[in-house]
């Protein structure tokens, strides 16, 4: 039972490069979320998808886009990475409570 | 904007000691949750407290929700090295009840030395 799987685990980008963070869940959950975690700031919600076919902005959406590809997959795209986007990114899904993946550690130089 | 302030930010104690972590807000929350996170992993839910004044126990961990639903505490009795980790409190955004859209505290890093 894999739960929530995130790829890649680590990534280094140069300023201006783009990339997509992948997330897949095998728990048949309707809702999926992207959070970022920065030291001393807890986790902040970037985007979420309440159900397949819908996406909405969270607290810190600027610089990001998302795609809910199907019920299982929810990807996060950085079109032009900036050093301020250096962070650990967590995907989560829920039916009741949140289940988190193990994160993608992204460094933008 | 709702904020959750945790204290202390860092806690370093010896095995067998007791400790309390606090989570405070000026806003009322419909409920509060506590998560534990280990290095390289995502947060894992420990407990949800819903009713003002509620106390929940999970083995050596005791969670309390304030009467006014603006604060919560986590008390660990006889801490063990396995309790080491980052503890996060969280509550539904903007007075809502969704456990997906959460406001998180900044976390408390607990280190328990053998």
């Amino acid at each position: 039972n894999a739960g929530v799987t995130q790829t890649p685990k680590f990534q280094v980008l140069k300023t201006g490069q783009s990339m997509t963070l992948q997330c897949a869940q095998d728990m048949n959950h309707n809702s999926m979320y992207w959070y970022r975690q920065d030291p001393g700031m807890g986790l902040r919600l970037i985007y979420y998808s309440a159900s397949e076919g819908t996406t909405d902005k969270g607290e810190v959406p600027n610089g990001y886009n998302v795609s809910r590809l199907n019920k299982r997959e929810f990807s996060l795209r950085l079109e032009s990475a900036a050093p301020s986007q250096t962070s650990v990114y967590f995907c989560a899904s829920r039916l009741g409570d949140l289940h988190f993946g193990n994160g993608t550690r992204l460094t933008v130089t | 904007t709702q904020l959750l302030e945790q204290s202390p930010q860092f806690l370093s104690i010896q095995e067998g000691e007791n400790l309390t972590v606090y989570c405070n807000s000026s806003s009322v929350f419909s409920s509060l949750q506590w998560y534990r996170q280990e290095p390289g992993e995502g947060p894992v839910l420990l407990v949800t407290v819903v009713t003002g004044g509620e106390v929940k126990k999970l083995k050596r961990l005791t969670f309390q929700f304030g009467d006014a639903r603006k604060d919560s505490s986590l008390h660990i009795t006889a801490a063990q090295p396995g309790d080491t980790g980052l503890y996060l409190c969280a509550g539904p955004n903007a007075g809502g009840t969704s456990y997906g859209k959460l406001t998180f505290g900044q976390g408390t890093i607990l280190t328990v030395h053998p």
Side-chain angles (χ1 to χ4, degrees), chain A residues 35 37 40 42 48 90 98 101, chain B residues 33 37 42 99-102 105-106:
Chain A
Y35 281 86
Q37 184 174 34
Y48 66 98
F90 286 98
L98 276 178
Chain B
Q33 297 185 313
Q37 184 178 12
Y99 292 130
K101 296 186 288 180
L102 297 173
Q106 74 271 45

Side-chain angles (χ1 to χ4, degrees), chain A:
Chain A
N1 185 4
V4 179
T5 303
Q6 292 184 237
T7 56
K9 291 189 190 310
F10 301 94
Q11 184 71 49
V12 179
L13 292 178
K14 294 188 190 303
T15 298
Q17 288 185 318
S18 62
M19 79 160 295
T20 300
L21 282 66
Q22 306 286 354
C23 174
Q25 53 95 5
D26 63 1
M27 295 174 283
N28 202 35
H29 289 168
N30 287 326
S31 303
M32 298 185 73
Y33 304 80
W34 279 103
Y35 281 86
R36 60 178 287 175
Q37 184 174 34
D38 302 293
M41 299 187 72
L43 286 86
R44 292 178 293 168
L45 181 64
I46 306 171
Y47 268 95
Y48 66 98
S49 171
S51 61
E52 187 179 353
T54 70
T55 61
D56 281 293
K57 295 178 181 179
E59 180 186 353
V60 289
N62 291 346
Y64 305 96
N65 284 300
V66 290
S67 296
R68 183 73 183 268
L69 304 169
N70 47 55
K71 192 171 186 178
R72 289 188 65 247
E73 298 172 287
F74 188 37
S75 62
L76 179 71
R77 183 160 178 83
L78 287 69
E79 290 291 351
S80 179
S84 61
Q85 294 179 304
T86 293
S87 188
V88 182
Y89 291 86
F90 286 98
C91 177
S93 69
R94 68 179 280 262
L95 189 60
D97 296 315
L98 276 178
H99 294 260
F100 286 90
N102 285 335
T104 294
R105 186 175 293 274
L106 175 67
T107 301
V108 183
T109 62

